[in-house]
Amino acid sequence: MGTTGCTDLMMLLHLTGHALETELTARLAEIGLTPRARCVLSSALAAERTQSEIADDVSIDKTTMVVTMDALEQAGFAERKPSPTDRRARVIAVTDAGRAITEKADRVVAEVYESVLGSLPVDEREGLVNGLTRLLEGRLSTPMPCEKPPRKRALRHAVG
């Protein structure tokens, strides 16, 4: 396929992303987790971070972060603890149950990614991932100023 004006790149990327997000949502629901909750737990496991830092890390707004944390606390997967350096902030601590569900979720995500990429010819898999990564780190790394930008979805860390 050439790079002609007939190729609707945005629609291809949007539909592909939506299909992958839907599959991940369904598969993670089987173990009682959402992609967003997995992102939050993974970020909290990577380093001691505040609720705001994790929200920024996984590209979700503060209201969504509060709702997500409420659900994670209710499920027993994480808890908010006072920050040792800022009494106004809360650090997210992942519980043993949260660590276990994140490991299980990581296996589910790896299976889905392997299945999706495995549906492509071997010589196209690495090129697709490398090309998308280069676009996000290069040409598309800085959002263009826009009066009414489209809403950003939170799946950034599902890619890792």
Side-chain angles (χ1 to χ4, degrees), residues 34-109:
T34 65
R36 181 181 300 123
R38 176 188 172 262
C39 290
V40 169
L41 290 170
S42 293
S43 181
L45 283 168
E48 184 175 278
R49 294 187 172 118
T50 65
Q51 206 169 276
S52 293
E53 290 169 334
I54 291 172
D56 288 343
D57 187 41
V58 301
S59 299
I60 59 176
D61 61 71
K62 290 177 180 161
T63 302
T64 303
M65 180 64 183
V66 169
V67 170
T68 302
M69 272 309 301
D70 288 347
L72 288 171
E73 279 188 317
Q74 186 174 359
F77 297 145
E79 55 191 19
R80 297 170 177 108
K81 294 186 172 186
S83 168
T85 58
D86 180 354
R87 62 187 174 110
R88 297 166 296 163
R90 298 278 179 227
V91 172
I92 304 307
V94 179
T95 64
D96 289 342
R99 186 172 275 101
I101 195 81
T102 302
E103 289 172 4
K104 191 181 263 189
D106 288 348
R107 287 191 297 274
V108 168
V109 170

Side-chain angles (χ1 to χ4, degrees), residues 89-160:
R90 298 278 179 227
V91 172
I92 304 307
V94 179
T95 64
D96 289 342
R99 186 172 275 101
I101 195 81
T102 302
E103 289 172 4
K104 191 181 263 189
D106 288 348
R107 287 191 297 274
V108 168
V109 170
E111 289 170 11
V112 170
Y113 289 175
E114 180 61 34
S115 175
V116 168
L117 290 173
S119 69
L120 294 174
V122 175
D123 61 332
E124 292 181 14
R125 296 173 195 173
E126 191 172 331
L128 173 67
V129 173
N130 288 343
L132 291 172
T133 300
R134 276 194 305 278
L135 284 173
L136 283 174
E137 291 174 352
R139 167 68 174 79
L140 299 175
S141 65
T142 304
M144 175 170 277
C146 181
E147 188 177 318
K148 292 183 179 182
R151 203 175 125 208
K152 198 172 184 181
R153 308 281 314 226
L155 252 190
R156 191 155 135 216
H157 283 285
V159 192

